[in-house]
Amino acid sequence: MATGEIKTAPELNVLYRNHGDWLTGWLRRQTGCIQRAEDLRQDTFVRLLAKPELPTMREPRAFLTQIAKGLLIDHYRRASLERSYLEALSTLGDEHYPSAEELAMITEALAELDRLLGKLSSKARAAFLYSRLDGLTHPEIAQRLGVSVPRVRQYIAQGLQQCYIALYGEPV
Amino acid sequence: MLYSPLRGTGVNVRPVSRQVLDQAIDWQVRLEMGEASQDELSALQTWLAEHAEHRRAWEQLNGINQRLRIAEQPAARTALLRPPSNGRRRLGQSALAVAFAGVLGLVAIDRYIPVRYVFADNVTPTGEQRTLMLPDHTRIVLGSRSALDVRFDEEERRVILLAGEAFIETGHDTTSRPFIVQTQAGRLRALGTRFLVEEESRGSRLTVLQSAVAAQPRFGLAEAVIPQGEQVLMMADRLDELKNAPASADAWVHGMLVVDNQPLGDVVAALSRERTGLITVDPAIAKLRVTGTFPLHDADQALRALALNTPIRVEQHTRWWLAVKPR
């Protein structure tokens, strides 16, 4: 890709005018929902606005779908977190069903923590949370997860490192 | 306690070097193992003293815990432990309708949970406090989520506050050994007295209720005498400015939360620290000023009392979740 140029509002306008509807169509095929497609188109352009500069692009549509795909993945991850949460609520015998607004709050907090825990495997996540929130000892965690104690320590160190990077950035 | 409920956000966010981060993580894991000897603890203290970057890494790692709180709720935990689904494969599937409310609630995730001090002599869980009577008739009330070691010998009466908060009323020692409270930030020498010590992310907050206490930061050269009625934050390298101690500073010792014209969001954060689970506050009412005296260890009761004379209502959704909303 060629060197970036300073983004100008007209440039973004052109992109929006020429490819905005096409992007909505693409998103609609992906999501099967016109409302969601329009929201995600909006988000895609908001993300572009936030960029300090827009690269010169030979394939503007490929560029747009690349950003939109990232947003879609976030979107599905949220939806999946939310679904798991609701399923867990009913499995655990909580009879209350949260309102849309409350659910959005919880989902937001879940997505934030999910981002923090990042690429950790579910065993590593479990080890990390058992240790930090429940204060289980390493042997207790090892037994619950069916792994060795040194492995538990590895998981906890991974968890600390992953959270650190998500919060403060890569160590220098 | 409530006079500074939203403290501890002053962590320097600049990343440290990889080497320092690895060392700090190694220390945290070792402390968690519960096998840290006094020698190792002093080695940690030396390591912390060596460089500001070491202390920064330590503070930053400690800051992580407060972000994890949503996962205290079992359903949230379950959702987070599901293996992440492959987003790519899911492209093209239709998703559940999700309402993306633009307004985020204030989620009270404001409790600093230290590395678990399994080697501490005395540990209190969330929402509980404990009274200790030491051999010299010193009375200590440990607040919620606190950890304290007692190390008396022939030379001195030393207690080590590892986490949380303590109310201390010293007894009269027949052999006149000094009474010392040691914290990560330094040491406090009691001068026949009643006082409060609270561990915060930046240091130890000392509130002197009677007589005086001599405070010496870990890297400080001299003691400073803090008189009755004063409050000070002791950091590892210096003492912050003295402030008047709030009249209700020791209300928690009696299980009370005294609120005088404070934002509702802060009050809920203080109650939330004493309770497991999640309390959400609608942003529309988080800044509402409230006044009153409430039971500290019964958030449900306290919120119900608040709802009597403020335009709020409380929805209890599950044992794990209270939502505070406008009426």
Side-chain angles (χ1 to χ4, degrees):
Chain A
M1 204 164 267
T3 49
E5 282 170 17
I6 301 300
K7 175 189 62 178
T8 55
E11 220 180 329
L12 199 61
N13 278 341
V14 170
L15 199 62
Y16 193 86
R17 226 179 23 244
N18 292 348
H19 307 292
D21 286 344
W22 175 86
L23 182 64
T24 311
W26 184 84
L27 283 164
R28 189 181 178 175
R29 284 192 300 282
Q30 298 295 331
T31 62
C33 169
I34 181 67
Q35 186 60 49
R36 176 131 334 100
E38 276 171 3
D39 288 350
L40 285 166
R41 170 175 79 169
Q42 178 81 357
D43 290 349
T44 306
F45 281 93
V46 167
R47 189 151 300 194
L48 282 178
L49 265 176
K51 282 187 188 288
E53 52 188 42
L54 214 56
T56 315
M57 53 195 82
R58 286 194 205 99
E59 301 279 355
R61 289 187 175 179
F63 178 74
L64 286 175
T65 49
Q66 192 194 336
I67 292 173
K69 268 182 191 165
L71 292 171
L72 263 176
I73 288 169
D74 285 354
H75 167 78
Y76 284 122
R77 180 61 187 144
R78 263 163 209 260
S80 131
L81 277 171
E82 186 176 73
R83 216 164 31 235
S84 304
Y85 175 76
L86 290 173
E87 279 167 21
L89 270 188
S90 61
T91 314
L92 295 167
D94 281 324
E95 62 291 336
H96 176 83
Y97 196 90
S99 74
E101 197 183 52
E102 293 157 349
L103 189 57
M105 267 186 212
I106 300 279
T107 307
E108 190 63 38
L110 278 176
E112 171 60 23
L113 185 49
D114 186 57
R115 182 187 73 81
L116 218 58
L117 299 174
K119 296 191 179 88
L120 294 181
S121 67
S122 61
K123 272 194 179 168
R125 285 177 176 217
F128 186 59
L129 295 177
Y130 284 151
S131 140
R132 292 272 143 168
L133 289 179
D134 306 333
L136 294 188
T137 64
H138 296 173
E140 282 165 351
I141 297 171
Q143 200 180 8
R144 274 203 198 188
L145 298 177
V147 298
S148 69
V149 171
R151 173 54 68 116
V152 167
R153 286 177 192 149
Q154 239 173 26
Y155 282 156
I156 293 167
Q158 274 174 15
L160 282 169
Q161 182 164 345
Q162 164 65 43
C163 286
Y164 186 95
I165 292 169
L167 281 173
Y168 308 110
E170 290 280 347
V172 289
Chain B
M1 287 304 96
L2 197 62
Y3 38 88
S4 58
L6 294 178
R7 67 194 164 241
T9 48
V11 176
N12 184 335
V13 295
R14 199 154 48 86
V16 296
S17 74
R18 182 163 297 278
Q19 193 199 353
V20 169
L21 178 61
D22 287 348
Q23 285 172 348
I25 287 176
D26 189 52
W27 270 116
Q28 294 241 332
V29 175
R30 268 209 268 168
L31 278 195
E32 269 193 1
M33 284 159 66
E35 294 154 9
S37 61
Q38 280 304 313
D39 285 352
E40 277 190 293
L41 280 185
S42 350
L44 169 60
Q45 279 155 13
T46 311
W47 183 78
L48 287 170
E50 266 165 19
H51 206 287
E53 196 184 7
H54 296 179
R55 297 191 287 281
R56 189 163 91 236
W58 194 253
E59 278 196 359
Q60 287 172 332
L61 285 178
N62 285 337
I64 287 172
N65 279 329
Q66 47 190 300
R67 310 294 187 114
L68 306 177
R69 262 200 86 194
I70 175 113
E72 281 182 346
Q73 196 189 1
R77 174 91 54 108
T78 308
L80 283 164
L81 295 183
R82 284 273 181 89
S85 53
N86 188 333
R88 215 162 274 278
R89 204 182 57 229
R90 288 176 159 272
L91 286 185
Q93 294 178 8
S94 76
L96 268 186
V98 183
F100 280 105
V103 188
L104 260 188
L106 261 187
V107 178
I109 305 182
D110 176 48
R111 182 168 54 206
Y112 161 64
I113 311 159
V115 173
R116 185 188 182 211
Y117 290 97
V118 271
F119 50 85
D121 300 341
N122 303 282
V123 183
T124 51
T126 301
E128 278 182 32
Q129 58 190 50
R130 184 190 301 171
T131 302
L132 314 169
M133 287 302 291
L134 304 187
D136 65 336
H137 302 293
T138 290
R139 185 167 75 102
I140 296 184
V141 183
L142 264 189
S144 163
R145 282 203 182 223
S146 303
L148 180 100
D149 275 348
V150 179
R151 297 283 178 268
F152 277 24
D153 60 24
E154 282 162 16
E155 299 290 308
E156 59 180 25
R157 297 169 290 162
R158 189 158 60 106
V159 298
I160 304 159
L161 182 63
L162 300 157
E165 60 194 334
F167 162 88
I168 297 165
E169 190 171 26
T170 53
H172 289 288
D173 188 44
T174 46
T175 55
S176 57
R177 295 169 295 176
F179 188 95
I180 309 284
V181 180
Q182 186 183 316
T183 70
Q184 192 142 284
R187 46 184 269 152
L188 303 166
R189 190 165 56 88
L191 304 168
T193 180
R194 256 185 322 134
F195 58 105
L196 299 163
V197 188
E198 183 181 5
E199 286 297 281
E200 301 182 1
S201 64
R202 292 187 310 152
S204 308
R205 187 171 297 280
L206 164 71
T207 308
V208 182
L209 302 169
Q210 196 184 62
S211 309
V213 172
Q216 179 162 17
R218 185 176 299 284
F219 312 111
L221 296 174
E223 281 185 339
V225 174
I226 313 300
Q228 180 170 331
E230 298 288 320
Q231 183 182 79
V232 72
L233 178 67
M234 176 171 70
M235 291 167 281
D237 56 344
R238 68 195 155 90
L239 294 175
D240 209 356
E241 274 172 38
L242 290 192
K243 286 192 294 193
N244 286 336
S248 53
D250 61 344
W252 68 266
V253 177
H254 315 291
M256 300 308 291
L257 177 67
V258 179
V259 179
D260 183 18
N261 195 30
Q262 309 251 13
L264 178 65
D266 289 2
V267 177
V268 170
L271 290 170
S272 167
R273 275 196 289 279
E274 303 290 329
R275 181 183 187 279
T276 48
L278 184 70
I279 308 183
T280 53
V281 186
D282 193 304
I285 50 170
K287 294 214 167 84
L288 208 65
R289 294 273 164 174
V290 295
T291 294
T293 300
F294 308 100
L296 182 58
H297 301 297
D298 189 345
D300 311 49
Q301 179 94 43
L303 289 171
R304 238 174 284 140
L306 264 171
L308 289 178
N309 49 18
T310 39
I312 63 165
R313 68 195 158 89
V314 181
E315 290 181 1
Q316 167 133 30
H317 294 332
T318 69
R319 190 157 75 77
W320 301 96
W321 178 23
L322 292 174
V324 185
K325 302 179 151 186
R327 192 150 57 197

